Amino acid sequence: MNRNIFISFGLHIFLVIITALSLPFLAKKPIDLPPIISVELIQITDKTNIPFAPKAKKIIEKVKVKEKKLVSEQAPPKKIKKQKPDAVPLPDEKIKKIKKIKDEKQNPEKVETEVKQISEFEKKELFDTNSIAALIDKSKTESAETNKKLDKVTQDQDKEMDFGGLTLSEEDALKAQIFGCWSIPLGLPFNEDLLVRIKLQLKPDGSIIKTEILDHARMNRPGQGFYKVLAESALRAIKLCQPLRVPSTGYERWKDMQLNFDAREMLEG
Amino acid sequence: MNLSKILKNAFLIILASLVLTACATKKTSTTSGQMQGDVYTGSDSVEYLASGVPDRVFFATNETVLTTASRETLRKQAGWLRKNSDINVVLEGHADERGTREYNLALGERRANSAKDYLMTYGISSDRISVLSYGKERPIDSGSSPLAWSKNRRSVTVKAN
Amino acid sequence: MLLRYLFILLIIIPAKAFALIEVDITRGNLNPLPVAVSPLSIDNKSKENFKKILKKEDLGSEISIVVENNLRQSGLFNPLNKDAFLQEPDVANLKPRFEDWNLIKAQALVTGKVTFVDEKLRVEFRLWDILAGKEMMALAFTTVPSNWRRVGHIITDKVYERLTGEKGYFDTRIIYIAEEGPKTNRIKKLAIMDQDGFNNKYLTLGNELVLTPRFSPTNQMVTYLSYFRNLPRVYLLDIETGMQEVVGDFPGMTFAPRFSPDGKKIIMSFAKDGNSDIYTMDLENRIVERVTNHPSIDTSPSYSPDGKRITFNSDRSGYQQIYVMDSNGKNVKRISFGNGLYGTPVWSPRGDLIAFTKLHKGKFYIGVMRTDGTGERLLTENFYQEAPSWSPNGRVLIFYRETKTNSKGEGFSAKLWSIDLTGYNEKMVETETDASDPSWSSLLSN
């Protein structure tokens, strides 16, 4: 019996010694503070105008592919239609812009950043006008590039408005305002498509001239009764929020606006 | 590694292990000696069919098996029933309040049936025994403590005539 | 040629515009919608008539109060204070001055008119969209004067549906067990009331223990468990006549009864020799069918709204869990797998969810899960609560809670509570006495 206790004791002491040797001592070490770096805050809203950045890459790839196609397709028809441009009653501004664009030096990169501004919604128009405009223009490669320019927001004078969307801060301000006005009907089914898109025409002070519900047909479709309720709640939100928090300048670029109300996030969560 | 460091370490470790050994393990069984595990073993609420014949047996939470003590009690009941062959009984099964109502009705019935089966193995005819469940509707102790609940998990033998 | 130019024109001109700015609005507020419920206008003659018959001073105002309270209780609406109303009820009903109502921040307005016609009560009401400045809905009802509260409930259902997109649940009743007395000897009675607590009536006297009442889909009958003559059996009660009859002729305890969705069968548990299984009985031909056949306890059966499947409670795995099977008893599948015990499964009238009670580490929870067992969500936790029952639109759950007693066994109470499916708007349902085992009827008007 004693012998066993002795052996057990010995083994325990052995364990303690091993642990003692291998453990780092838990003393307090002095903390090394990294040297303080001074940081300067600068406004970057002018440059952060990329509302659709995540989609940009996709769009750029697609555009590049289409670009190639366009350039090759344009060749044959152009020969025939050479005389026509004069007969087409293009609005004056359009012609002015085309000239301006031709004058400017175009980097390929700049073209790409322009592409970023186009929303998915507009993509179709972009490519359609490309093929048509190609008929009008004389030069091959230039046409491909300039056509893209045509559809863009091109208020060249104002540098801020180079890109068509709202700046991040402008968008955030408007969103925050509408979040407060939109009473989401809790009875909506949360496993359905709860997106209602409303086009607005605005006055310079942010009040509403006209509203238009896209997908209007869905309002009366059987089984989609909730869509009507959803759309009405969005309309109420807009009316309630008048005058909308619009930017103080650049009326031309935001006088037509589309608000995409999506209740899914709130109801699923 | 210098000696002082090793000694400091060793001291810490011994201290730590002493602290650990000093912690007593919590005793899960009851304090007042009226429960064994989960089953009531006291005599507070127990009544007697006859001298030395307790009228009820107790169960663990969610259980319907008879404990040794229960079997002892039921043996006494069987003996008494054999001696008084004109008496019929109703076994009333109960459950504690810590369960859903309908399931507890079924549980009470099963408990009473366990007791009935055991009585039958001692020669009491099933004609003399009927079973009734009250689920959690008729607690004998209205408290909300484990002790109260253990008193309520029971099967009571009641004279029918 | 010309066509081609026209085509170009059509494409180019819209392209001249700036790219349309799109802003995604993905958040809003879940605040209750501010609505104004104007007292219904009523002419003096009708007012006098109704005062005589119903002993109510101003029936137009009374009906609007029913609507107002319903909307407030739902948690989705915020009825505005009447003192701030600028327009008189009769004027507002014809053509509201929307600017006036907009001033007090109302987004919707309910107006109406009450008249006494041919000894009957006639109510017409209108729902207005204040911000859009137009009428959304206009309906009229005619009924016996004593039904005036129901008119208020029906109006609420219509308004609720028009503004939320979901069917309402206000023209309904709740049946429950009214209880009194010490915990060791509770007196229990069958009771029925309107969903807003009014018109409370007792259906039994309290001489025998009664438990777990459930409505039939037609709302005419109730099935429940009664210990009449100390024999626990399932009974049927006709609400109108008060007639009671035992269901079937079972040689042992039957309990946990429910109706099938078509109202033709009663499904229940039958306990014999320590085993409880699920059986059905056809109310017309009295044929009894056995649905489960297992040595475990099988109870608390509940049909899916299409009648094709049944969810029930079984301890065949060793502990109380929730199972789903076909209505013929085949394809039994376990659907609860979380930690703890599960009981009282109830299939939602929408068919998409099963509500249940869960017991885990000494706490009771009311929760919901999808019918395949996924998406388990616990809505509320308490010392003791159980037995959820669905509102007919599958949105609100009513259940009951009991309190702890102190060391002397005092302080016990049982009350009905309700909670919204989203977990919001948890509140107590007022009853005259203590209450338990609530069951919600379907919509009375169809």
Side-chain angles (χ1 to χ4, degrees):
Chain A
M1 182 62 191
N2 280 334
R3 200 165 149 254
N4 287 335
I5 295 176
F6 223 57
I7 294 173
S8 168
F9 188 67
L11 286 171
H12 275 92
I13 294 295
F14 180 59
L15 259 176
V16 172
I17 293 172
I18 290 183
T19 324
L21 286 172
S22 57
L23 269 182
F25 190 63
L26 310 160
K28 281 190 188 152
K29 289 206 186 104
I31 304 165
D32 294 319
L33 285 168
I36 297 170
I37 305 166
S38 58
V39 174
E40 203 183 288
L41 292 172
I42 49 173
Q43 282 292 350
I44 54 166
T45 48
D46 296 337
K47 305 204 175 71
T48 58
N49 210 356
I50 42 167
F52 300 104
K55 297 180 192 160
K57 204 170 187 188
K58 253 198 270 171
I59 297 173
I60 293 170
E61 308 304 333
K62 277 194 190 168
V63 167
K64 279 191 183 154
V65 171
K66 293 263 180 171
E67 230 183 321
K68 289 181 196 153
K69 280 194 203 152
L70 281 171
V71 169
S72 50
E73 276 167 19
Q74 280 155 22
K78 230 190 49 162
K79 281 179 196 161
I80 307 164
K81 307 256 172 0
K82 223 173 183 180
Q83 300 308 314
K84 297 304 173 185
D86 303 320
V88 177
L90 286 175
D92 285 339
E93 295 129 37
K94 202 70 186 172
I95 299 169
K96 275 190 213 147
K97 274 181 201 147
I98 296 169
K99 289 199 184 134
K100 268 193 194 155
I101 287 152
K102 280 191 190 165
D103 294 340
E104 282 175 350
K105 283 197 180 140
Q106 303 281 329
N107 303 352
E109 290 136 17
K110 198 140 195 233
V111 175
E112 280 166 9
T113 52
E114 294 290 7
V115 171
K116 275 187 201 165
Q117 305 321 310
I118 300 169
S119 67
E120 304 240 84
F121 192 65
E122 293 283 315
K123 246 182 10 186
K124 284 187 202 143
E125 284 176 51
L126 164 69
F127 300 127
D128 286 341
T129 51
N130 264 349
S131 45
I132 307 297
L135 301 176
I136 304 162
D137 277 326
K138 315 278 165 150
S139 76
K140 234 196 225 179
T141 47
E142 261 184 312
S143 64
E145 288 168 8
T146 53
N147 292 333
K148 284 190 211 85
K149 271 290 194 178
L150 278 175
D151 314 324
K152 244 61 76 345
V153 178
T154 46
Q155 224 172 29
D156 315 58
Q157 316 304 345
D158 206 337
K159 279 197 186 129
E160 280 182 285
M161 322 291 184
D162 237 351
F163 314 104
L166 298 172
T167 65
L168 266 187
S169 52
E170 286 170 344
E171 195 174 308
D172 285 344
L174 181 61
K175 275 190 188 176
Q177 186 199 16
I178 299 188
F179 286 171
C181 294
W182 189 26
S183 278
I184 301 185
L186 282 176
L188 296 174
F190 44 76
N191 50 354
E192 294 257 8
D193 171 17
L194 297 175
L195 173 68
V196 57
R197 301 175 300 171
I198 301 184
K199 253 184 169 163
L200 305 173
Q201 269 179 40
L202 301 165
K203 285 205 205 134
D205 66 348
S207 54
I208 315 253
I209 302 172
K210 192 173 118 176
T211 60
E212 181 196 333
I213 302 177
L214 304 175
D215 313 320
H216 204 272
R218 205 173 151 202
M219 293 267 269
N220 294 314
R221 209 175 289 162
Q224 299 269 300
F226 61 87
Y227 183 74
K228 188 172 186 182
V229 174
L230 175 66
E232 283 173 347
S233 77
L235 281 175
R236 274 199 294 271
I238 295 169
K239 294 221 168 73
L240 197 60
C241 256
Q242 282 186 90
L244 294 182
R245 220 173 269 171
V246 287
S248 44
T249 50
Y251 176 61
E252 282 302 305
R253 68 181 164 104
W254 51 256
K255 66 178 185 193
D256 292 303
M257 199 187 291
Q258 180 175 308
L259 299 180
N260 301 330
F261 288 82
D262 193 338
R264 202 139 177 188
E265 205 180 288
M266 290 287 295
L267 293 179
E268 259 182 355
Chain B
M1 220 181 174
N2 57 21
L3 186 65
S4 63
K5 251 195 180 163
I6 295 173
L7 282 175
K8 274 188 203 154
N9 275 351
F11 175 65
L12 268 180
I13 291 157
I14 293 173
L15 196 66
S17 37
L18 281 175
V19 166
L20 282 173
T21 53
C23 285
T25 50
K26 241 187 175 163
K27 289 204 174 69
T28 45
S29 53
T30 175
T31 45
S32 58
Q34 287 197 293
M35 287 206 280
Q36 193 164 15
D38 212 9
V39 183
Y40 185 67
T41 50
S43 53
D44 278 358
S45 54
V46 177
E47 290 173 17
Y48 290 83
L49 295 167
S51 164
V53 183
D55 72 339
R56 60 193 66 195
V57 294
F58 299 95
F59 299 86
T61 306
N62 266 326
E63 291 296 322
T64 57
V65 291
L66 297 167
T67 60
T68 322
S70 302
R71 274 181 273 221
E72 177 65 38
T73 300
L74 288 170
R75 270 200 294 274
K76 292 183 190 159
Q77 287 188 7
W80 172 79
L81 280 168
R82 272 203 303 274
K83 273 186 244 156
N84 302 278
S85 50
D86 54 340
I87 295 183
N88 294 331
V89 288
V90 178
L91 298 189
E92 293 177 356
H94 299 259
D96 66 34
E97 63 177 5
R98 301 307 280 167
T100 56
R101 200 188 295 281
E102 288 168 343
Y103 183 78
N104 276 345
L105 286 169
L107 200 58
E109 201 263 352
R110 194 182 257 182
R111 282 174 176 157
N113 239 282
S114 292
K116 173 181 176 180
D117 286 347
Y118 197 74
L119 287 176
M120 281 167 65
T121 64
Y122 277 83
I124 310 300
S125 154
S126 67
D127 299 341
R128 299 176 60 190
I129 312 170
S130 57
V131 158
L132 177 61
S133 167
Y134 279 106
K136 62 187 199 113
E137 308 303 314
R138 294 272 179 267
I140 197 78
D141 188 325
S142 54
S144 298
S145 64
L147 181 62
W149 297 330
S150 72
K151 288 191 211 171
N152 293 330
R153 290 189 294 272
R154 67 201 191 278
S155 168
V156 183
T157 306
V158 177
K159 282 187 256 197
N161 51 359
Chain C
M1 215 31 56
L2 191 66
L3 214 64
R4 191 168 274 146
Y5 292 141
L6 282 172
F7 183 51
I8 295 166
L9 203 69
L10 285 168
I11 303 281
I12 297 285
I13 288 180
K16 158 227 186 309
F18 298 114
L20 189 67
I21 293 176
E22 284 189 33
V23 179
D24 294 325
I25 310 291
T26 53
R27 282 194 359 249
N29 62 69
L30 295 173
N31 296 335
L33 188 77
V35 295
V37 183
S38 165
L40 306 186
S41 78
I42 180 169
D43 62 274
N44 282 324
K45 187 133 181 286
S46 302
K47 208 178 195 181
E48 286 305 309
N49 279 315
F50 285 124
K51 187 167 169 188
K52 249 193 292 176
I53 302 171
L54 301 172
K55 312 281 186 286
K56 291 284 170 193
E57 283 292 331
D58 183 344
L59 192 62
S61 175
E62 295 287 344
I63 295 180
S64 73
I65 291 174
V66 171
V67 177
E68 199 185 321
N69 286 334
N70 279 338
L71 291 177
R72 185 180 297 116
Q73 288 295 311
S74 72
L76 303 182
F77 298 93
N78 177 21
L80 301 168
N81 194 342
K82 284 201 190 51
D83 298 337
F85 293 1
L86 294 171
Q87 273 195 303
E88 287 299 309
D90 49 350
V91 181
N93 190 36
L94 292 172
K95 179 75 183 180
R97 252 201 323 269
F98 296 110
E99 318 81 61
D100 282 357
W101 297 99
N102 204 354
L103 262 173
I104 57 170
K105 304 272 187 249
Q107 292 191 25
L109 166 69
V110 178
T111 64
K113 191 164 103 169
V114 175
T115 34
F116 183 73
V117 172
D118 292 334
E119 309 294 313
K120 291 233 177 85
L121 164 67
R122 186 187 141 83
V123 180
E124 56 174 77
F125 85 95
R126 286 165 215 264
L127 174 65
W128 308 85
D129 184 332
I130 300 291
L131 290 165
K134 59 180 172 99
E135 182 186 280
M136 285 174 97
M137 176 184 257
L139 290 171
F141 307 104
T142 309
T143 182
V144 292
S146 55
N147 259 348
W148 66 272
R149 288 200 79 88
R150 274 198 64 194
V151 174
H153 295 314
I154 295 172
I155 293 176
T156 320
D157 280 331
K158 299 289 178 200
V159 168
Y160 182 93
E161 190 174 350
R162 186 68 181 81
L163 292 174
T164 66
E166 225 183 20
K167 276 195 118 39
Y169 54 88
F170 300 97
D171 188 26
T172 54
R173 286 192 288 190
I174 292 172
I175 192 153
Y176 66 98
I177 299 295
E179 39 178 276
E180 289 170 301
K183 206 169 158 191
T184 47
N185 200 6
R186 288 293 255 186
I187 305 292
K188 294 195 172 185
K189 298 180 198 166
L190 221 54
I192 189 170
M193 63 182 183
D194 290 351
Q195 142 284 132
D196 64 353
F198 283 80
N199 291 331
N200 191 60
K201 264 204 319 247
Y202 296 109
L203 301 173
T204 65
L205 298 168
N207 295 323
E208 62 278 339
L209 183 62
V210 284
L211 303 170
T212 66
R214 277 84 189 245
F215 272 108
S216 88
T218 61
N219 297 317
Q220 266 300 102
M221 310 266 272
V222 174
T223 183
Y224 60 104
L225 169 61
S226 169
Y227 277 71
F228 183 59
R229 298 216 179 112
N230 270 330
L231 286 174
R233 294 290 188 280
V234 168
Y235 282 77
L236 272 183
L237 167 77
D238 186 312
I239 298 177
E240 296 303 304
T241 65
M243 295 256 298
Q244 302 177 44
E245 62 165 302
V246 68
V247 172
D249 188 18
F250 288 84
M253 173 168 87
T254 48
F255 58 107
R258 277 212 163 85
F259 280 90
S260 61
D262 60 5
K264 295 192 178 147
K265 289 196 207 166
I266 300 278
I267 189 167
M268 62 198 138
S269 280
F270 167 50
K272 183 98 182 87
D273 298 332
N275 183 24
S276 295
D277 275 317
I278 294 172
Y279 288 71
T280 60
M281 189 182 96
D282 189 302
L283 289 175
E284 252 173 86
N285 53 34
R286 307 270 137 177
I287 294 179
V288 174
E289 273 172 8
R290 184 176 193 155
V291 185
T292 65
N293 193 347
H294 197 282
S296 63
I297 290 176
D298 297 328
T299 185
S300 302
S302 166
Y303 274 98
S304 61
D306 63 7
K308 293 194 179 143
R309 286 188 296 167
I310 296 168
T311 179
F312 66 103
N313 196 205
S314 174
D315 64 1
R316 56 185 66 190
S317 72
Y319 292 99
Q320 273 180 283
Q321 298 292 340
I322 298 176
Y323 291 75
V324 170
M325 61 183 172
D326 295 341
S327 52
N328 59 7
K330 298 206 169 82
N331 292 324
V332 178
K333 249 195 336 209
R334 178 174 157 182
I335 65 169
S336 63
F337 289 98
N339 291 323
L341 305 175
Y342 292 78
T344 75
V346 212
W347 213 302
S348 158
R350 288 205 280 220
D352 55 348
L353 296 172
I354 290 176
F356 57 87
T357 305
K358 176 168 166 167
L359 171 57
H360 182 48
K361 293 206 170 133
K363 296 204 188 93
F364 281 79
Y365 302 84
I366 302 288
V368 294
M369 63 171 70
R370 284 190 220 107
T371 57
D372 60 2
T374 58
E376 176 179 323
R377 260 189 324 131
L378 301 177
L379 302 178
T380 168
E381 172 202 311
N382 197 262
F383 165 73
Y384 177 86
Q385 60 190 3
E386 67 157 294
S389 171
W390 292 94
S391 64
N393 68 351
R395 166 144 215 116
V396 182
L397 286 168
I398 191 169
F399 55 98
Y400 76 96
R401 274 191 181 154
E402 289 174 359
T403 53
K404 255 191 197 183
T405 54
N406 59 20
S407 51
K408 292 192 213 127
E410 296 161 350
F412 178 70
S413 79
K415 284 291 182 198
L416 303 184
W417 283 73
S418 70
I419 191 168
D420 189 276
L421 189 55
T422 53
Y424 289 102
N425 204 23
E426 182 179 318
K427 59 185 195 332
M428 190 169 87
V429 179
E430 288 291 344
T431 48
E432 287 174 13
T433 61
D434 274 4
S436 60
D437 291 349
S439 170
W440 214 315
S441 78
S442 44
L443 282 171
L444 298 175
S445 50
N446 268 329

